[in-house]
Each structure stands twice: as C-alpha cells, then as structure tokens.
Amino acid sequence: RTGAPGIKAKDHYEALTLVRDDLPGLVLLDGDDDRRITETEITGQGLQRLRWRRYEIESYLVHPGALERFVEKVVGPGSMSAEARKDMRAYLEKTFTSAFLENPLVANPLIEAYFEQRKARTEVIPPILGAAGLHGFPYTRYHEIAAVMTPEEVHPEVIEKLDAIQRAFRL
C-alpha cells in the first residue's frame, strides 16, 4: 500500500527487482488514495498503477440480488431470512434510486457520486447489513458477499480491473 506506514509499494517492488529485473508489478489504488499518485499505462513492464473510480473497492459489493442471497445464507432459510431480506430491501429502497435497484450495473452519475464520496466498508455496507439484523458484521468477512455473486452481478469496472491485472502480469 502506497500510503501505509512501513515499506511502500515502490520500495518493495524495487527490492524484488534486485532478484528478477524483468518482474512486472502493480499497485491498485482505492479512489481515496493520494491523487498525486497517477495511474500508468498497463504494459506488463515495470511498476504499473491502476485506480478504482469509487472511494473503496467494497462498494462494488452493493448489489441487491447478491446482498439478498448473502443475508439468506447467513440468517438461514425460512421466515427469519424472509423478514431480514424484506427489512434490508426497505433500507435499500430508502437509500438508493429505483433505477439502481432495478439494474445496479448501469452507469448512473448520482450513484457513482454517492460511492465516490463514501467509505463502503464503514458507511455503506454496515447499515445495509444492520437493516437485515446483521449488526456488527465484520468487514473482514465481506468477501463472503462476493462469493455469492453471479458473474452477471459483477460490476463492469471490476471486470475491467481484473483484465488489467492479467495484462499487468502478462497472463
């Protein structure tokens, strides 16, 4: 991480190139990282940089269908799950536009502005899960939301970044 204390990505990369000089590297920056650190062209050579457009990568987990399946998986099937999903859906309807709820993958300037300004890990996802009764659900388990997503629910920018990661490492 470029902004974290300790070893910076560039320093770590340069140390690795002492062992293998043709090693490609990649820094994937959150949208809230220092804007003076610019993206680079993805060439498969040297240390390359990409930036998420949104404030945090966790915001790409906000997909109504995936969240409903996730809540059902955590709460379990039955009436408790149905009630939890209903309460979560009511929160989503209050917070987001109907266009986003109907198709969360369509570009929408209002929604993108919302996600560009908020930490999904602490400001967006916890209230959604809290509405479903999952108060205090640890962010270290958010990967479980991604695990229930279908390929059709993966945001286009995530696919774009995954493709760029493959190019960056010449895969």
Side-chain angles (χ1 to χ4, degrees):
R1 205 165 145 87
T2 57
I7 298 174
K8 304 239 184 276
K10 185 176 184 298
D11 297 335
H12 185 70
Y13 172 76
E14 288 174 357
L16 290 171
T17 60
L18 293 173
V19 177
R20 184 174 160 202
D21 63 356
D22 69 333
L23 183 70
L26 179 68
V27 177
L28 188 53
L29 303 161
D30 273 344
D32 67 329
D33 274 308
D34 187 345
R35 289 291 177 175
R36 292 173 295 182
I37 302 169
T38 58
E39 290 187 84
T40 64
E41 186 177 347
I42 302 303
T43 62
Q45 305 294 318
L47 185 60
Q48 305 149 95
R49 290 184 300 274
L50 284 174
R51 180 182 306 278
W52 293 103
R53 287 186 287 276
R54 293 180 176 181
Y55 192 90
E56 284 185 327
I57 187 174
E58 289 87 352
S59 69
Y60 299 99
L61 298 173
V62 181
H63 187 288
L67 287 166
E68 286 188 16
R69 280 193 309 285
F70 171 73
V71 168
E72 182 173 27
K73 181 179 177 199
V74 172
V75 174
S79 61
M80 284 181 57
S81 172
E83 189 66 28
R85 288 181 286 126
K86 179 177 153 261
D87 292 344
M88 181 186 66
R89 187 67 178 194
Y91 177 84
L92 291 171
E93 288 170 356
K94 183 177 75 172
T95 306
F96 296 100
T97 65
S98 59
F100 173 77
L101 296 176
E102 290 170 21
N103 193 344
L105 303 182
V106 170
N108 179 323
L110 289 174
I111 294 299
E112 290 310 311
Y114 176 87
F115 285 125
E116 287 170 7
Q117 299 168 13
R118 288 172 181 79
K119 284 187 80 153
R121 186 175 65 145
T122 58
E123 299 173 33
V124 179
I125 296 175
I128 293 171
L129 298 180
L134 301 175
H135 303 282
F137 193 86
Y139 75 87
T140 55
R141 292 184 57 193
Y142 285 179
H143 65 278
E144 295 175 32
I145 300 170
V148 300
M149 294 181 92
T150 65
E152 298 78 30
E153 293 169 338
V154 177
H155 192 279
E157 187 182 0
V158 173
I159 295 167
E160 171 190 311
K161 293 300 190 269
L162 291 171
D163 289 345
I165 290 168
Q166 285 192 301
R167 285 194 317 278
F169 291 103
R170 304 185 298 254
L171 300 175

